[in-house]
Each structure stands twice: as structure tokens, then as C-alpha cells.
Amino acid sequence: GENVEQHPSTLSVQEGDSAVIKCTYSDSASNYFPWYKQELGKGPQLIIDIRSNVGEKKDQRIAVTLNKTAKHFSLHITETQPEDSAVYFCAASTSNNDMRFGAGTRLTVKP
Amino acid sequence: NAGVTQTPKFRILKIGQSMTLQCTQDMNHNYMYWYRQDPGMGLKLIYYSVGAGITDKGEVPNGYNVSRSTTEDFPLRLELAAPSQTSVYFCASSYSITTLATDTQYFGPGTRLTVL
């Protein structure tokens, strides 16, 4: 089955700096790559996703890049703010019932 | 829309007790899922359903049961609770027009379960 690795496990940045989180996947058939943000005591919330027919997607301060050849994808957050502090999860999926999640990255944005 | 709601928020069980975690969605989604989240790890799929009356096992189904009698509700049952089932449980739902698709999943707030 699919295996998703996520790095780093913790990331601390200064407010205004950029943050980058990277994930690798093993199954070349994976075609959907969402990123979720989980705040303390809450469920994961989708922040951005990308499909395998696209190399990059951007939504305001958030962008995701996908390299299918190398089987890795990354989340980029620019101009970080304290409210960006949370745990971020990547996932890779070949179908609705086969979504595999990374272990998460705890992002801390220091004011 | 309330989205995906879960009850209870917290629960402590003794070994061997049973309980049902409730999940309801009001988005008319056909797919529903149950995940567990252990500390420092990603979510793992326990069971899923593609529609009322249809359920199937995920990656970690042992010790759990589910039913899907309506589109809205997808309860998760623990029959004989064990300490290994201490975890945070998330219900999710999505809308898909084909079993080949992969669609956005919307998550509930979770149930934190402790088995002592």
C-alpha cells in the first residue's frame, strides 16, 4: 500500500518568514494530494489540494508543488502569521478509500 | 450547514466496555469514513461507506464495527474496549460520483477516547 513520509516533524519560523513542509509518497498511482491544517482540539481542515495532472497550485499565501517523477510534493506558506501555527498533514490517495496520511508537522510561528 | 458532527467529544471507558461513537453529516455526501489518530502519527482508516447499506474495512478495522442505515449517519461501535483503542477518532465525509474518484474529505471535530 501507499506510504507517505512527511518532514520536518516540527518547524519554528519567525512571523513573516516562509515555511516549507515536504512529503514523499511511494505509490506512483496516487493522483490526489491534499494538505490539512489541524488546530488544537479540532478536526483536520483542508487548506489546499492538488491533482496529479497539475504541477503547482496557489491560493493566496499558500502554494503546493508536485513532482510526480520524484514522487514528492511540498506545501509552501509565505508571510507566515501567528494564526498559521498548527499541525499540518499531507496525504496521498489513489481512491477515496485509500488515503494515506503523513505523520504531521507542528508549525510554530513566533511573533 | 453544520457539516460533520460527532458525539461525544470525550469518553473514558474501562477495559471490556462497549460504546458507540456517533457521526452525522448534513451535506448529503455519499461517502463516509472513520479514522483514528494516534499521537505523532497520521490518520489511519478504520472503516468506510460508499452509501447507505454499504460498508467496508479500511486499514485498521479490528475491534470495530460500523453500520450505515441512512445517508446522514455512520456510527462506529467498539464492542470490547482495549487500551490499544485509546485514540482520537475522526469521522469524515465526501461526495463522489464515481468509485474511481478521489474527492475532498470533510472532517468532524473528533472524539477523544481513553480506555483504562
Side-chain angles (χ1 to χ4, degrees):
Chain A
E2 174 68 277
N3 183 46
V4 177
E5 295 192 358
Q6 183 172 345
H7 300 281
S9 56
T10 61
L11 178 61
S12 182
V13 299
Q14 208 66 37
E15 183 177 0
D17 288 349
S18 295
V20 180
I21 302 170
K22 299 182 179 181
C23 289
T24 61
Y25 61 98
S26 60
D27 191 342
S28 57
S30 291
N31 54 31
Y32 178 63
F33 307 90
W35 284 89
Y36 286 88
K37 176 183 181 182
Q38 186 176 23
E39 296 175 327
L40 193 63
K42 297 185 178 180
Q45 280 198 305
L46 181 76
I47 55 171
I48 196 166
D49 56 11
I50 193 168
R51 297 191 183 269
S52 57
N53 58 347
V54 176
E56 184 174 0
K57 185 176 178 181
K58 192 173 181 180
D59 182 4
Q60 299 183 327
R61 297 187 296 110
I62 295 172
V64 56
T65 58
L66 171 64
N67 183 328
K68 286 188 297 181
T69 303
K71 288 190 271 189
H72 66 71
F73 56 113
S74 301
L75 177 71
H76 304 254
I77 306 174
T78 59
E79 301 172 23
T80 54
Q81 301 166 2
E83 50 264 39
D84 293 330
S85 296
V87 179
Y88 291 81
F89 291 96
C90 65
S93 178
T94 59
S95 63
N96 280 323
N97 58 309
D98 190 30
M99 187 169 295
R100 302 300 176 104
F101 289 79
T105 296
R106 183 173 299 279
L107 173 65
T108 302
V109 180
K110 295 179 286 187
Chain B
N1 287 350
V4 180
T5 57
Q6 293 182 238
T7 57
K9 290 188 187 299
F10 306 93
R11 184 73 185 268
I12 297 175
L13 284 181
K14 293 182 179 179
I15 295 172
Q17 286 185 320
S18 61
M19 78 163 293
T20 299
L21 283 68
Q22 302 291 346
C23 174
T24 300
Q25 54 91 10
D26 62 358
M27 297 176 282
N28 202 30
H29 285 172
N30 49 352
Y31 276 72
M32 294 188 75
Y33 315 82
W34 274 106
Y35 291 90
R36 60 177 288 171
Q37 183 179 41
D38 298 320
M41 299 180 70
L43 287 79
K44 292 189 183 295
L45 183 64
I46 304 170
Y47 269 95
Y48 69 99
S49 168
V50 303
I54 306 170
T55 63
D56 210 342
K57 296 177 181 179
E59 188 182 356
V60 290
N62 292 345
Y64 308 94
N65 275 301
V66 294
S67 59
R68 184 96 181 271
S69 57
T70 67
T71 300
E72 296 78 20
D73 301 307
F74 190 40
L76 177 72
R77 179 96 179 146
L78 283 71
E79 289 293 350
L80 290 170
S84 61
Q85 294 177 305
T86 294
S87 189
V88 181
Y89 291 85
F90 289 102
C91 179
S93 71
S94 68
Y95 180 75
S96 298
I97 59 174
T98 167
T99 56
L100 299 177
T102 309
D103 299 282
T104 301
Q105 296 186 17
Y106 297 88
F107 285 81
T111 294
R112 184 175 294 274
L113 176 67
T114 302
V115 182
L116 300 173

